[in-house]
């Protein structure tokens, strides 16, 4: 892709400062997102996905959190040093975010219309009547029937799936260049999850908005993303296009994650999950962070930290088994 990326994250490090010192939750991660692209960020719970997305929004709770290094280039502007005033312009206008549980971002005391209109007025130079019309159009765009009626309703009157559609409408109502969706379907049942993912794909095609889709589920990645980065313990361990990663996963962690994706053709009682847990940030002081759980670990893995090695097919893998390129 030759076009300059919408977002270019370079060697980002975000830490939490505690009495034990600086604990790195996101440790030197780099990735770019281009116009119209859907990038997946996948990894188990605790790998640093949300801290990454909150860092991009500059919403990491500070203290104890802090971006301690790197750059976050939004259309070429490094927003790491940006003021809170500048960030308020950027949030909603340039980058919007949706979360797992829409109830946490919707105010239960105000109607959907109130909240939509308020956001639109804040970010677009329109009056209340125009904002209302844009709001109704957005609700229609995200596939909500009887949009005018929903404008008058309160969040608790809607189902979880409808609330997530409202959140997507709100996020997109100001034409952001980038939408960050942090586990947007995790709280929804499977059928509604599929509908929301289809909606996000359709909107991405229609509006050309770049999307970062954060998920613990490679099934979601397969469904919507073109490219994916796999995160483990605060680091990127593999990056590839989605077709490649399913056809030819290289990092032992990715292989494990793939084995835990439910396969509809196989009716297994229990799904495979990788034995052990993601180490807490700052606890693996030496060697590969996956070594304690890795079937392929060898002596070197416990003393040296692997780099992110470029493969002949454009894949990147942080594992000594792939240090020499294609294997
Ligand atoms: N406010 C916080 N204070 C201290 N540690 C935190 C805070 N938020 C997240 N962390 C730590 O950062 C790591 C990454 O968390 P997170 O990004 O939420 O993971 P994920 O979204 O991948 O499940 C975890 O070890 C978590 O305990
Ligand atoms: S570097 Fe070693 S421990 Fe780490 S993933 Fe590769 S084989 Fe496993
Ligand atoms: Mg998270």
């Amino acid at each position: 892709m030759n076009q300059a990326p919408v977002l270019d994250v370079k060697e980002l490090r975000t830490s939490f400062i505690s009495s034990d010192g600086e604990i790195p939750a996101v440790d030197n991660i780099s990735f770019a997102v281009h116009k119209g692209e859907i990038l997946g960020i996948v990894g188990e719970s605790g790998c640093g996905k949300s801290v990454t997305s909150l860092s991009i929004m500059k919403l990491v709770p500070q203290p104890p959190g802090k971006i301690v290094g790197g750059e976050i280039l939004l259309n070429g502007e490094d927003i790491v040093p940006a003021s809170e005033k500048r960030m308020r312009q950027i949030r909603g206008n340039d980058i919007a975010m949706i979360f797992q549980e829409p109830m946490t971002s919707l105010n239960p005391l105000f109607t959907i219309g109130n909240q939509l209109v308020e956001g639109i007025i804040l970010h677009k130079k329109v009056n209340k009547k125009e904002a209302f019309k844009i709001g109704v159009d957005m609700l229609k765009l995200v596939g909500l029937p009887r949009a005018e009626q929903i404008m008058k309703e309160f969040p608790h009157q809607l189902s979880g799936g409808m609330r997530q559609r409202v959140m997507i409408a709100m996020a997109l109502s100001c034409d952001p260049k980038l939408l960050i969706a942090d586990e947007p379907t995790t709280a929804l049942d499977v059928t509604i999850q599929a509908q929301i993912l289809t909606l996000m794909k359709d909107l991405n095609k229609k509006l050309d908005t770049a999307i970062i889709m954060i998920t613990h589920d490679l099934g979601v990645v397969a469904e919507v993303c073109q490219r994916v980065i796999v995160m483990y313990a605060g680091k990127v361990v593999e990056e590839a296009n989605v077709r490649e990663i399913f056809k030819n996963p290289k990092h032992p962690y990715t292989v494990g994650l793939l084995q835990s994706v439910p396969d509809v053709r196989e009716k297994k009682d229990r799904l495979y999950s990788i034995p052990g847990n993601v180490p807490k940030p700052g606890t693996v002081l030496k060697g590969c962070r996956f070594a304690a759980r890795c079937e392929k670990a060898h002596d070197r893995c416990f003393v040296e930290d692997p780099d992110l090695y470029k493969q002949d097919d454009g894949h990147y893998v942080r594992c000594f088994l792939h240090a020499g390129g294609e294997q």
Side-chain angles (χ1 to χ4, degrees), residues 97-139:
M97 186 160 171
I98 52 175
F99 300 90
Q100 178 173 335
E101 183 33 79
M103 253 343 235
T104 55
S105 341
L106 287 169
N107 189 327
L109 303 176
F110 292 98
T111 62
I112 301 299
N114 262 322
Q115 301 182 56
L116 250 176
V117 164
E118 187 191 31
I120 295 166
I121 291 176
L122 193 70
H123 293 287
K124 289 191 170 183
K125 291 189 177 72
V126 292
N127 63 32
K128 213 167 174 181
K129 202 167 157 213
E130 289 163 329
F132 191 88
K133 194 177 168 305
I134 296 172
V136 170
D137 287 346
M138 286 313 296
L139 292 183

Side-chain angles (χ1 to χ4, degrees), residues 44-51 53 100 182-183 214:
E44 291 162 291
S45 177
C47 280
K49 306 181 300 292
S50 293
V51 173
S53 56
Q100 178 173 335
D182 192 348
E183 309 256 10
I214 294 178

Side-chain angles (χ1 to χ4, degrees), residues 274-326:
I274 308 167
N277 294 306
V278 180
K280 286 252 167 297
T283 55
V284 180
L285 302 174
K286 201 161 76 154
C288 170
R289 289 178 189 190
F290 189 56
R293 301 172 78 189
C294 182
E295 285 175 5
K296 302 265 176 75
H298 43 286
D299 290 349
R300 186 182 180 191
C301 307
F302 294 92
V303 281
E304 268 182 74
D305 199 359
D307 288 332
L308 194 59
Y309 304 104
K310 185 165 195 234
Q311 310 296 299
D312 296 344
D313 57 3
H315 224 111
Y316 288 85
V317 188
R318 189 183 296 283
C319 171
F320 291 126
L321 299 175
H322 299 279
E326 199 72 54

